[in-house]
Amino acid sequence: MSALKGVKVLELGTLIAGPFASRMLGEFGASVIKVETPHGPDGTGGGDPIRSWRHLHEGNSLWWTVQARNKQSIALNLKDPRGRDIARRLALDADVVVENYRPGVLEKWGLGYEQLREVNPALIMVRLSGYGQTGPLRDSPGFGAIAESMGGLRYVSGHPDRPPVRVGISIGDSIAALHAVIGALMALRHRDTTGGRWNGKQGADCVAGQGQMVDVALYESVFNLMESLVPEYDVAGVVRERTGGALPGIVPSNTYTTRDGQNVVIAGNGDAIFNRLMRAIGRDDLADDPQLARNDGRARRADEIDGAIQRWCDTRSIDQALEALRRADVPVGKIYSVADMFADPQFIARGMIEQHRFPDGTPVKLPAVVPRLSETPGGTRWLGPRLGEHTEDVLKTLGYDAAAIAELAEAGAIGIPPPA
């Protein structure tokens, strides 16, 4: 049994934020139909642009393998009224539509939320965009990098004497996707407590639940994670700045370098933990100093404490440092590369790296599905599909016969891949 079994999701979007949101819904059992642009007349182009990003296998991105797992791909030309009609029929049969077009695009195609809810009042539409569906910037193009900048994350990332840096992944898009999933699940809960999904008719014996629009702005999703940024500025006039690997005002919590050039994060900021840490590194004097018994006192002497810890790390290898601090029950961790993850006993014990195979038999490892649910766990049912791989199957569920499908393909309204 899957947590979202029976939930139908239509994905109208490309790249990261929207597709990541529907990916998570699909990982926990929702049926996800992803609409993609067909190949052009010359057989090139088409599909979600992420298919060609970073490293490829057999013409598709390895990223695509993860981002589109468990999804059905249907190739529709939404510039063709017949393609839009198919998308509309799919949307009206869906529980959730996830889209990340620029605001107004779906309305031009007759697929906007207000247009669809007139027919399906129980529909939930999750809309992801750079700046949301309202406001002076609603029509501006918005990418995750811009959201990270406007939402405050870039400003506080990096070292104080250098320009801001980006996190090494598309974190702004992914944060927005997580907010989208949360919003979708809350909206589904509300719909189900007010009547349930729409079955095509209304009446005394059939009351559709109340659907709604979930408006996710990328910059607001990032902003939502910025901890005490706002009240610190409002009440204390403090602008949080870049601080490198340290956590200002919470001491000690920093990144240190061991004798063999490895980076280790040590978080000894709890009062009892600080005491154990100082004794583990041979600094009983600091452990016994009453001025350092509480965090506020340690914050005033952060440089002194960090210096003591770094000098200890200078004389230890990464393995020696980890062993000594874990033995003292101090939170400590090496900064992992993906190679470290593949070899780590904790990753292995938790099954965090899944083994799969491409259709050609080539083995491929993927990250496991999280979070872990004890009774209805998620999983990978199949890898990211070929462009339009499920077009015919989906159209048949809508009542199209072989002749009608062939006619739509000939006219360029849909795309059907050649046999595998």
Side-chain angles (χ1 to χ4, degrees):
M1 181 66 177
S2 299
L4 298 178
K5 183 178 181 180
V7 174
K8 297 181 179 180
V9 178
L10 179 67
E11 179 191 308
L12 300 172
T14 60
L15 297 176
I16 305 172
F20 185 16
S22 58
R23 162 197 154 184
M24 288 198 69
L25 298 173
E27 287 171 344
F28 287 91
S31 173
V32 180
I33 297 175
K34 177 179 177 63
V35 173
E36 299 189 77
T37 304
H39 288 306
D42 60 354
T44 62
D48 190 320
I50 207 171
R51 285 180 176 272
S52 62
W53 280 22
R54 297 184 62 82
H55 298 280
L56 308 184
H57 175 79
E58 297 293 320
N60 272 331
S61 168
L62 293 171
W63 191 351
W64 171 260
T65 302
V66 180
Q67 187 80 320
R69 61 179 166 189
N70 302 330
K71 299 180 185 180
Q72 293 179 291
S73 170
I74 176 171
L76 298 181
N77 181 1
L78 295 181
K79 296 181 179 179
D80 187 301
R82 291 162 296 187
R84 293 196 297 271
D85 180 64
I86 294 170
R88 180 179 175 83
R89 293 176 64 180
L90 291 171
L92 292 176
D93 186 50
D95 297 284
V96 181
V97 173
V98 177
E99 70 94 8
N100 64 345
Y101 285 99
R102 197 181 300 191
V105 171
L106 289 191
E107 281 72 14
K108 292 178 183 178
W109 291 340
L111 297 170
Y113 173 65
E114 296 296 336
Q115 295 157 314
L116 294 175
R117 75 181 298 207
E118 290 179 2
V119 182
N120 179 358
L123 179 68
I124 295 162
M125 180 175 280
V126 180
R127 315 197 74 168
L128 298 99
S129 60
Y131 305 100
Q133 301 298 310
T134 60
L137 292 177
R138 72 180 291 270
D139 296 322
S140 301
F143 279 70
I146 309 304
E148 294 161 27
S149 302
M150 187 173 178
L153 180 61
R154 292 283 181 107
Y155 188 87
V156 300
S157 298
H159 291 275
D161 58 342
R162 304 175 200 172
V165 299
R166 72 181 294 271
V167 177
I169 57 172
S170 304
I171 191 71
D173 292 287
S174 299
I175 291 170
L178 295 176
H179 281 79
V181 171
I182 294 168
L185 296 178
M186 289 191 290
L188 280 169
R189 169 67 175 167
H190 175 71
R191 185 208 66 177
D192 290 346
T193 58
T194 55
R197 86 183 311 269
W198 180 70
N199 69 352
K201 59 182 180 180
Q202 288 259 57
D205 298 327
C206 178
V207 178
Q210 184 181 46
Q212 59 185 301
M213 180 178 68
V214 180
D215 183 0
V216 180
L218 270 66
Y219 85 95
E220 291 170 355
S221 299
V222 174
F223 180 62
N224 192 36
L225 299 190
M226 295 307 296
E227 300 175 346
S228 56
L229 188 81
V230 169
E232 284 178 0
Y233 177 69
D234 181 53
V235 176
V238 173
V239 176
R240 187 178 294 197
E241 301 286 350
R242 294 182 293 282
T243 57
L247 195 57
I250 305 173
V251 179
S253 184
N254 212 333
T255 302
Y256 308 91
T257 304
T258 56
R259 183 182 64 199
D260 48 357
Q262 297 290 317
N263 294 312
V264 61
V265 173
I266 301 173
N269 44 64
D271 294 343
I273 298 173
F274 172 76
N275 190 287
R276 295 197 299 271
L277 171 58
M278 291 299 102
R279 297 191 190 284
I281 68 171
R283 293 301 303 266
D284 290 14
D285 58 318
L286 297 180
D288 294 332
D289 190 330
Q291 293 184 1
L292 303 180
R294 290 165 46 99
N295 181 70
D296 54 348
R298 295 194 295 274
R300 289 190 288 271
R301 294 167 60 183
D303 290 344
E304 177 186 356
I305 295 169
D306 279 336
I309 298 171
Q310 183 56 63
R311 285 190 292 276
W312 180 82
C313 288
D314 287 340
T315 65
R316 267 77 176 175
S317 69
I318 183 67
D319 290 337
Q320 290 171 333
L322 293 173
E323 180 183 0
L325 297 183
R326 285 172 178 162
R327 190 168 57 245
D329 202 21
V330 173
V332 60
K334 175 183 174 181
I335 295 180
Y336 277 26
S337 70
V338 67
D340 296 318
M341 297 171 190
F342 267 51
D344 184 78
Q346 180 68 21
F347 274 79
I348 294 170
R350 296 275 292 176
M352 282 306 302
I353 307 294
E354 298 181 348
Q355 180 69 64
H356 296 277
R357 288 189 180 275
F358 287 110
D360 65 3
T362 302
V364 59
K365 290 183 171 68
L366 301 184
V369 173
V370 295
R372 304 297 182 91
L373 277 63
S374 64
E375 304 303 322
T376 55
T380 302
R381 301 189 297 281
W382 64 84
L383 307 184
R386 293 182 298 144
L387 174 58
E389 181 176 335
H390 303 97
T391 301
E392 292 183 85
D393 292 339
V394 171
L395 290 182
K396 287 175 182 177
T397 67
L398 296 177
Y400 290 85
D401 59 22
I405 293 172
E407 182 180 345
L408 288 169
E410 180 67 25
I414 65 172
I416 299 176

